Amino acid sequence: MKLFWTTLAVFVLAYTATSQAQLVWEQKHLSFKAKVDEPTLAGVYRFTNRGDYPVTIGEIKSSCGCTTTELSKRDYAPGETGEIKAVFTVGNLSGLQRKEITVHTDDPRAGKVNLKLEVDIPGLLQITPRFVFWKTGKSSRERKVMIDVTHDQPIHITEVTSTSSRITAELKTIEAGKKYEVWVKPENVDSLGKATISIKTDYPEDVPKTYKVYAAIK
């Protein structure tokens, strides 16, 4: 019996040693804190082929369209190093963003690798609520969306538009550069409908941000 367990332990250790992935990554999880006026962020995932046969990287998929990847080559010989560059577009996003990048390889030991990207984006505006709605056949009373500037310098709202002629949005300035209200009202609530309310600002100066509020009759 002792010989059996010793043999089993040796087998398990040998299997574990040979089943490890060829590609060894320096980091699989990158975290960044974006600056207020930073349009994009780039992170690099470095790896080395520690195995004894070549590995080919195939498809690389991101969980979000805001993240793209760059890879200079696909095939890596034993001992060769490489890197995948991930570019995150901040756009109109804010708060903590968690994205995943899935890397597919032809390594039979670990054909798929999940990389994680975490970006903390400081908010410029606090918008409450982000979604307003009405029920069909009920009251069509207008809804108020409150906007407070949380940045340390004034940010002005330059325009508010709606994608639907049935649902209008009117801007009211409470304190220029600091506090606003957007009043959203449906023409009627006789049938289903929806709209996206775009709130355009003057900051940053080079690429001003636009924020979204969503409205629906349901």
Side-chain angles (χ1 to χ4, degrees):
M1 181 61 70
K2 182 177 180 181
L3 178 61
F4 169 79
W5 288 112
T6 301
T7 304
L8 179 62
V10 171
F11 173 79
V12 170
L13 289 173
Y15 177 80
T16 302
T18 58
S19 63
Q20 292 177 348
Q22 293 274 99
L23 298 185
V24 177
W25 300 79
E26 285 186 10
Q27 284 183 297
K28 292 183 180 180
H29 186 179
L30 298 179
S31 297
F32 298 96
K33 185 173 181 64
K35 297 178 182 178
V36 171
D37 55 353
E38 198 166 18
T40 60
L41 285 167
V44 175
Y45 300 90
R46 296 183 175 86
F47 58 86
T48 302
N49 183 353
R50 298 293 188 189
D52 52 8
Y53 55 82
V55 172
T56 297
I57 294 179
E59 185 180 26
I60 303 175
K61 296 181 66 176
S62 171
S63 62
C64 175
C66 60
T67 306
T68 59
T69 58
E70 300 174 9
L71 180 66
S72 60
K73 54 178 290 184
R74 296 284 177 178
D75 302 314
Y76 294 87
E80 192 173 5
T81 62
E83 62 183 39
I84 293 175
K85 182 179 180 181
V87 179
F88 178 87
T89 301
V90 175
N92 295 315
L93 297 173
S94 63
L96 187 60
Q97 305 291 320
R98 293 186 176 96
K99 309 301 176 184
E100 189 169 279
I101 300 166
T102 304
V103 182
H104 296 268
T105 77
D106 66 349
D107 185 354
R109 299 173 182 174
K112 185 173 72 172
V113 178
N114 292 322
L115 307 176
K116 298 187 182 300
L117 179 65
E118 188 175 272
V119 182
D120 189 6
I121 306 170
L124 301 177
L125 304 181
Q126 181 178 331
I127 302 175
T128 310
R130 288 276 189 161
F131 176 69
V132 295
F133 70 94
W134 300 261
K135 291 184 177 180
T136 54
K138 302 294 184 179
S139 171
S140 61
R141 180 174 59 88
E142 60 186 347
R143 303 286 194 256
K144 179 174 69 173
V145 176
M146 297 179 292
I147 304 172
D148 293 290
V149 176
T150 56
H151 191 33
D152 55 2
Q153 71 180 63
I155 297 176
H156 300 87
I157 296 177
T158 59
E159 186 181 12
V160 173
T161 59
S162 172
T163 58
S164 172
S165 59
R166 284 188 61 200
I167 300 176
T168 60
E170 182 181 354
L171 176 67
K172 182 179 180 180
T173 301
I174 306 302
E175 182 182 351
K178 289 295 182 182
K179 191 176 184 67
Y180 297 87
E181 291 176 357
V182 175
W183 290 87
V184 186
K185 182 176 175 59
E187 183 180 41
N188 60 68
V189 290
D190 297 338
S191 59
L192 301 178
K194 60 182 178 179
T196 299
I197 310 300
S198 296
I199 301 169
K200 299 182 180 180
T201 73
D202 63 354
Y203 187 87
E205 186 177 351
D206 52 345
V207 186
K209 289 182 178 291
T210 298
Y211 296 84
K212 306 290 186 182
V213 169
Y214 301 94
I217 305 166
K218 58 182 185 176

